[in-house]
Amino acid sequence: MTPTLSGEIEVGCFYRRHLGPRMEAAGLRVQFHYNQKPGGHFKVQPREEYRSAILRGIKEGMAARFPDFPETGSIWIAAILEDEVDSCERAFYKAGRLVIEQTYALEQIA
């Protein structure tokens, strides 16, 4: 059985990983809708260097966990949590994947 997203849902996550002498960190809050403009959208604008990493993380996560998410559905990036020192493209990719994994986990216990 392929998991689906029930109704409208908003999920947030913050990813931080210690890498020896430094850290990598990023956070996102994402909304899933069925009654708004289809596709992926930003309510807040990320730095240009993070934009494609966020979208790629979310797209790959959706393909893995919610492959039947309707084309008429929409995903809104509602908040971007950036650390001035520790944020990087890789961290935002991981945050994109993580927010989908958290959504999947919530749907499994719902």
Side-chain angles (χ1 to χ4, degrees), residues 48-100:
E48 194 55 41
E49 65 262 31
Y50 302 149
R51 182 183 199 80
S52 64
I54 292 168
L55 292 173
R56 187 168 43 91
I58 290 172
K59 181 180 178 181
E60 290 177 12
M62 289 298 288
R65 293 300 191 179
F66 300 103
D68 293 332
F69 187 71
E71 289 185 24
T72 57
S74 62
I75 299 172
W76 289 84
I77 292 86
I80 296 170
L81 307 169
E82 178 182 340
D83 184 279
E84 190 175 298
V85 174
D86 297 329
S87 287
C88 62
E89 288 179 51
R90 182 173 61 198
F92 273 105
Y93 168 79
K94 290 178 181 179
R97 289 296 303 257
L98 179 59
V99 78
I100 302 305

